[in-house]
Short mmCIF file of all heavy atoms in Angstrom, two decimals:
data_model
loop_
_atom_site.label_atom_id
_atom_site.label_comp_id
_atom_site.label_asym_id
_atom_site.label_seq_id
_atom_site.Cartn_x
_atom_site.Cartn_y
_atom_site.Cartn_z
N ASP A 1 21.76 0.98 15.51
CA ASP A 1 20.76 -0.07 15.77
C ASP A 1 19.55 0.50 16.42
O ASP A 1 19.41 1.43 17.10
CB ASP A 1 21.32 -1.04 16.82
CG ASP A 1 20.55 -2.44 16.83
OD1 ASP A 1 19.72 -2.48 15.88
OD2 ASP A 1 20.78 -3.20 17.62
N THR A 2 18.44 -0.09 16.05
CA THR A 2 17.01 0.27 16.57
C THR A 2 16.33 -0.83 17.17
O THR A 2 15.16 -1.22 16.79
CB THR A 2 16.26 0.93 15.47
OG1 THR A 2 16.19 -0.10 14.36
CG2 THR A 2 16.89 2.13 14.99
N PRO A 3 16.90 -1.47 18.21
CA PRO A 3 16.21 -2.77 18.72
C PRO A 3 14.96 -2.42 19.36
O PRO A 3 14.06 -3.38 19.52
CB PRO A 3 17.25 -3.26 19.79
CG PRO A 3 17.85 -1.89 20.20
CD PRO A 3 18.00 -1.08 19.02
N ASN A 4 14.47 -1.30 19.77
CA ASN A 4 13.30 -1.03 20.55
C ASN A 4 12.22 -0.27 19.57
O ASN A 4 11.24 0.21 19.96
CB ASN A 4 13.54 -0.17 21.66
CG ASN A 4 14.36 -0.87 22.80
OD1 ASN A 4 14.17 -1.98 22.90
ND2 ASN A 4 15.33 0.02 23.19
N PHE A 5 12.48 -0.46 18.18
CA PHE A 5 11.55 0.31 17.28
C PHE A 5 10.25 -0.45 17.26
O PHE A 5 10.09 -1.71 17.23
CB PHE A 5 12.17 0.36 15.85
CG PHE A 5 11.23 0.91 14.85
CD1 PHE A 5 10.98 2.21 14.84
CD2 PHE A 5 10.58 -0.03 14.05
CE1 PHE A 5 10.08 2.73 13.88
CE2 PHE A 5 9.63 0.56 13.02
CZ PHE A 5 9.46 1.84 13.04
N VAL A 6 9.22 0.26 17.45
CA VAL A 6 7.85 -0.25 17.36
C VAL A 6 7.07 0.40 16.19
O VAL A 6 7.01 1.66 16.15
CB VAL A 6 7.13 -0.13 18.55
CG1 VAL A 6 5.69 -0.63 18.57
CG2 VAL A 6 7.84 -0.80 19.81
N CYS A 7 6.53 -0.36 15.27
CA CYS A 7 5.77 0.40 14.15
C CYS A 7 4.58 1.01 14.72
O CYS A 7 3.90 0.65 15.61
CB CYS A 7 5.36 -0.75 13.14
SG CYS A 7 6.56 -1.63 12.29
N PRO A 8 4.22 2.27 14.09
CA PRO A 8 3.02 2.86 14.39
C PRO A 8 1.75 2.04 14.19
O PRO A 8 1.80 1.17 13.25
CB PRO A 8 2.99 4.04 13.43
CG PRO A 8 4.30 4.23 13.00
CD PRO A 8 4.92 2.82 12.98
N VAL A 9 0.75 2.13 15.04
CA VAL A 9 -0.50 1.38 14.94
C VAL A 9 -1.34 2.08 13.97
O VAL A 9 -1.53 3.23 13.96
CB VAL A 9 -1.20 1.15 16.24
CG1 VAL A 9 -2.40 0.38 16.07
CG2 VAL A 9 -0.22 0.38 17.22
N ALA A 10 -1.79 1.27 12.91
CA ALA A 10 -2.78 1.85 11.87
C ALA A 10 -3.81 0.78 11.47
O ALA A 10 -3.56 -0.46 11.78
CB ALA A 10 -1.90 2.26 10.60
N PRO A 11 -5.01 1.11 10.95
CA PRO A 11 -5.96 0.32 10.65
C PRO A 11 -5.55 -0.60 9.59
O PRO A 11 -4.79 -0.21 8.76
CB PRO A 11 -7.16 1.14 10.38
CG PRO A 11 -6.58 2.47 9.94
CD PRO A 11 -5.39 2.63 10.90
N CYS A 12 -6.07 -1.95 9.58
CA CYS A 12 -5.66 -2.81 8.54
C CYS A 12 -6.15 -2.51 7.16
O CYS A 12 -5.71 -3.06 6.10
CB CYS A 12 -6.09 -4.24 8.87
SG CYS A 12 -7.86 -4.47 8.98
N ASP A 13 -7.13 -1.50 7.06
CA ASP A 13 -7.64 -1.15 5.81
C ASP A 13 -7.02 0.19 5.25
O ASP A 13 -7.47 0.82 4.28
CB ASP A 13 -9.13 -1.07 5.73
CG ASP A 13 -9.68 -0.13 6.64
OD1 ASP A 13 -8.93 0.51 7.62
OD2 ASP A 13 -10.88 0.05 6.84
N ALA A 14 -5.96 0.55 5.93
CA ALA A 14 -5.26 1.85 5.56
C ALA A 14 -4.52 1.71 4.27
O ALA A 14 -4.31 0.56 3.69
CB ALA A 14 -4.13 2.16 6.65
N THR A 15 -4.45 2.68 3.47
CA THR A 15 -3.72 2.76 2.12
C THR A 15 -2.32 2.33 2.42
O THR A 15 -1.59 2.85 3.16
CB THR A 15 -3.81 4.06 1.54
OG1 THR A 15 -5.22 4.35 1.30
CG2 THR A 15 -3.16 3.94 -0.04
N ALA A 16 -1.82 1.28 1.58
CA ALA A 16 -0.49 0.78 1.72
C ALA A 16 0.37 1.32 0.56
O ALA A 16 1.60 1.54 0.73
CB ALA A 16 -0.47 -0.66 1.61
N TYR A 17 -0.23 1.49 -0.58
CA TYR A 17 0.65 1.84 -1.72
C TYR A 17 -0.10 2.52 -2.85
O TYR A 17 -1.34 2.43 -2.80
CB TYR A 17 1.34 0.60 -2.47
CG TYR A 17 0.33 -0.24 -2.87
CD1 TYR A 17 -0.02 -0.18 -4.32
CD2 TYR A 17 -0.27 -1.38 -2.25
CE1 TYR A 17 -0.93 -1.03 -4.82
CE2 TYR A 17 -1.27 -2.20 -2.84
CZ TYR A 17 -1.58 -2.08 -4.07
OH TYR A 17 -2.51 -2.84 -4.73
N VAL A 18 0.59 3.17 -3.74
CA VAL A 18 -0.04 3.72 -4.95
C VAL A 18 0.91 3.36 -6.15
O VAL A 18 2.07 3.62 -6.01
CB VAL A 18 -0.12 5.29 -4.92
CG1 VAL A 18 -0.73 5.75 -6.26
CG2 VAL A 18 -0.96 5.79 -3.77
N VAL A 19 0.37 2.74 -7.14
CA VAL A 19 1.00 2.28 -8.16
C VAL A 19 0.33 2.81 -9.56
O VAL A 19 -0.93 3.26 -9.34
CB VAL A 19 1.27 0.77 -8.47
CG1 VAL A 19 2.08 0.15 -7.33
CG2 VAL A 19 -0.17 -0.04 -8.56
N TYR A 20 1.00 2.95 -10.63
CA TYR A 20 0.48 3.81 -11.71
C TYR A 20 0.31 2.89 -13.03
O TYR A 20 1.09 2.02 -13.22
CB TYR A 20 1.39 4.89 -12.10
CG TYR A 20 1.03 6.17 -11.26
CD1 TYR A 20 1.43 6.14 -9.86
CD2 TYR A 20 0.27 7.21 -11.59
CE1 TYR A 20 1.19 7.22 -9.04
CE2 TYR A 20 -0.10 8.28 -10.93
CZ TYR A 20 0.38 8.36 -9.67
OH TYR A 20 0.01 9.36 -8.74
N THR A 21 -0.87 3.16 -13.83
CA THR A 21 -1.02 2.52 -15.11
C THR A 21 -0.02 3.19 -16.03
O THR A 21 0.74 4.10 -15.69
CB THR A 21 -2.44 2.85 -15.54
OG1 THR A 21 -2.60 4.22 -15.75
CG2 THR A 21 -3.48 2.23 -14.67
N SER A 22 0.23 2.60 -17.18
CA SER A 22 1.17 2.90 -18.15
C SER A 22 0.97 4.32 -18.80
O SER A 22 1.83 5.06 -19.26
CB SER A 22 1.33 1.93 -19.30
OG SER A 22 0.04 1.89 -19.93
N GLY A 23 -0.44 4.62 -18.81
CA GLY A 23 -0.75 6.02 -19.41
C GLY A 23 -0.89 5.87 -20.92
O GLY A 23 -0.98 6.80 -21.60
N SER A 24 -1.03 4.58 -21.42
CA SER A 24 -1.01 4.42 -22.92
C SER A 24 -2.34 4.89 -23.38
O SER A 24 -2.42 5.29 -24.60
CB SER A 24 -0.80 2.88 -23.16
OG SER A 24 -1.75 2.13 -22.57
N THR A 25 -3.45 4.95 -22.68
CA THR A 25 -4.70 5.42 -23.08
C THR A 25 -4.96 6.93 -22.58
O THR A 25 -6.25 7.18 -22.68
CB THR A 25 -5.80 4.53 -22.77
OG1 THR A 25 -5.78 4.32 -21.20
CG2 THR A 25 -5.59 3.09 -23.31
N GLY A 26 -3.97 7.54 -22.11
CA GLY A 26 -4.24 8.81 -21.40
C GLY A 26 -3.09 9.17 -20.44
O GLY A 26 -2.16 8.62 -20.47
N ARG A 27 -3.47 9.98 -19.53
CA ARG A 27 -2.48 10.18 -18.47
C ARG A 27 -2.44 9.02 -17.48
O ARG A 27 -3.45 8.28 -17.33
CB ARG A 27 -2.84 11.53 -17.72
CG ARG A 27 -3.99 11.45 -16.78
CD ARG A 27 -4.15 12.59 -15.79
NE ARG A 27 -5.23 12.55 -15.02
CZ ARG A 27 -5.39 13.28 -13.91
NH1 ARG A 27 -4.53 14.18 -13.53
NH2 ARG A 27 -6.44 13.22 -13.16
N PRO A 28 -1.18 8.68 -16.98
CA PRO A 28 -1.18 7.55 -15.99
C PRO A 28 -2.15 7.78 -14.72
O PRO A 28 -2.27 8.95 -14.33
CB PRO A 28 0.26 7.59 -15.52
CG PRO A 28 1.04 8.34 -16.60
CD PRO A 28 -0.05 9.39 -17.18
N LYS A 29 -2.75 6.76 -14.37
CA LYS A 29 -3.65 6.81 -13.30
C LYS A 29 -3.03 6.09 -11.99
O LYS A 29 -2.60 5.04 -12.23
CB LYS A 29 -5.04 6.14 -13.60
CG LYS A 29 -5.80 6.87 -14.67
CD LYS A 29 -7.14 6.25 -14.97
CE LYS A 29 -7.10 4.93 -15.62
NZ LYS A 29 -6.65 4.95 -16.87
N GLY A 30 -3.15 6.82 -10.97
CA GLY A 30 -2.58 6.19 -9.73
C GLY A 30 -3.68 5.41 -9.04
O GLY A 30 -4.83 5.88 -8.83
N ILE A 31 -3.41 4.07 -8.70
CA ILE A 31 -4.21 3.18 -8.14
C ILE A 31 -3.80 2.89 -6.65
O ILE A 31 -2.62 2.42 -6.32
CB ILE A 31 -4.36 1.88 -8.88
CG1 ILE A 31 -4.89 2.08 -10.35
CG2 ILE A 31 -5.22 0.85 -8.19
CD1 ILE A 31 -4.78 0.93 -11.20
N ALA A 32 -4.65 3.27 -5.65
CA ALA A 32 -4.31 3.17 -4.21
C ALA A 32 -4.85 1.85 -3.79
O ALA A 32 -6.07 1.54 -3.90
CB ALA A 32 -4.97 4.33 -3.50
N GLY A 33 -3.92 1.12 -3.19
CA GLY A 33 -4.20 -0.19 -2.71
C GLY A 33 -4.07 -0.22 -1.24
O GLY A 33 -3.23 0.40 -0.68
N GLY A 34 -4.87 -1.06 -0.49
CA GLY A 34 -4.84 -1.16 1.04
C GLY A 34 -4.05 -2.40 1.53
O GLY A 34 -3.84 -3.41 0.85
N HIS A 35 -3.68 -2.27 2.77
CA HIS A 35 -3.06 -3.37 3.41
C HIS A 35 -3.86 -4.66 3.37
O HIS A 35 -3.33 -5.83 3.12
CB HIS A 35 -2.69 -2.96 4.90
CG HIS A 35 -1.57 -2.18 5.02
ND1 HIS A 35 -0.29 -2.63 5.32
CD2 HIS A 35 -1.46 -0.86 5.08
CE1 HIS A 35 0.59 -1.52 5.37
NE2 HIS A 35 -0.08 -0.47 5.31
N ARG A 36 -5.17 -4.51 3.71
CA ARG A 36 -6.03 -5.68 3.80
C ARG A 36 -6.04 -6.54 2.54
O ARG A 36 -5.90 -7.74 2.49
CB ARG A 36 -7.44 -5.27 4.19
CG ARG A 36 -8.50 -6.50 4.25
CD ARG A 36 -9.86 -5.95 4.68
NE ARG A 36 -9.83 -5.67 6.19
CZ ARG A 36 -10.80 -4.91 6.65
NH1 ARG A 36 -11.80 -4.40 5.91
NH2 ARG A 36 -10.72 -4.64 7.93
N GLY A 37 -6.13 -5.80 1.47
CA GLY A 37 -6.19 -6.68 0.12
C GLY A 37 -4.97 -7.41 -0.22
O GLY A 37 -4.93 -8.56 -0.66
N VAL A 38 -3.79 -6.81 0.15
CA VAL A 38 -2.56 -7.42 -0.07
C VAL A 38 -2.30 -8.61 0.83
O VAL A 38 -1.96 -9.79 0.37
CB VAL A 38 -1.36 -6.47 0.12
CG1 VAL A 38 -0.09 -7.11 -0.01
CG2 VAL A 38 -1.45 -5.27 -1.04
N VAL A 39 -2.57 -8.48 2.12
CA VAL A 39 -2.54 -9.51 3.04
C VAL A 39 -3.37 -10.71 2.67
O VAL A 39 -3.04 -11.92 2.66
CB VAL A 39 -2.92 -9.09 4.35
CG1 VAL A 39 -3.03 -10.26 5.45
CG2 VAL A 39 -1.84 -8.03 5.07
N GLN A 40 -4.73 -10.36 2.23
CA GLN A 40 -5.52 -11.52 1.72
C GLN A 40 -5.02 -12.28 0.56
O GLN A 40 -5.01 -13.46 0.52
CB GLN A 40 -6.90 -10.86 1.43
CG GLN A 40 -8.02 -11.88 1.06
CD GLN A 40 -8.12 -12.03 -0.38
OE1 GLN A 40 -7.76 -11.16 -1.33
NE2 GLN A 40 -8.95 -13.09 -0.90
N TYR A 41 -4.46 -11.45 -0.27
CA TYR A 41 -3.87 -12.03 -1.52
C TYR A 41 -2.58 -12.89 -1.11
O TYR A 41 -2.35 -13.97 -1.61
CB TYR A 41 -3.33 -11.05 -2.55
CG TYR A 41 -2.91 -11.71 -3.79
CD1 TYR A 41 -3.67 -12.16 -4.79
CD2 TYR A 41 -1.44 -11.94 -3.88
CE1 TYR A 41 -3.10 -12.74 -5.94
CE2 TYR A 41 -1.05 -12.49 -5.16
CZ TYR A 41 -1.88 -12.91 -5.92
OH TYR A 41 -1.26 -13.52 -7.16
N LEU A 42 -1.74 -12.44 -0.21
CA LEU A 42 -0.58 -13.28 0.28
C LEU A 42 -0.93 -14.40 0.88
O LEU A 42 -0.33 -15.49 0.73
CB LEU A 42 0.31 -12.46 1.10
CG LEU A 42 0.94 -10.99 0.52
CD1 LEU A 42 1.84 -10.31 1.57
CD2 LEU A 42 1.73 -11.40 -0.69
#
């Protein structure tokens, strides 16, 4: 159990994820998205 776990503090515009295009028009491209954009969308 980790009852006292505290998440590290990071800026809200930090990079949250990298997802990739299919690569159908060339090599797959990684697209880096931030926490702020996802939270605004949610």
Side-chain angles (χ1 to χ4, degrees):
D1 195 13
T2 54
N4 299 316
F5 174 77
V6 177
C7 296
V9 177
C12 62
D13 58 354
T15 299
Y17 66 89
V18 178
V19 295
Y20 276 76
T21 61
S22 65
S24 57
T25 58
R27 70 169 183 164
K29 295 188 289 292
I31 298 172
H35 283 268
R36 175 177 290 166
V38 175
V39 170
Q40 184 261 347
Y41 182 84
L42 296 178

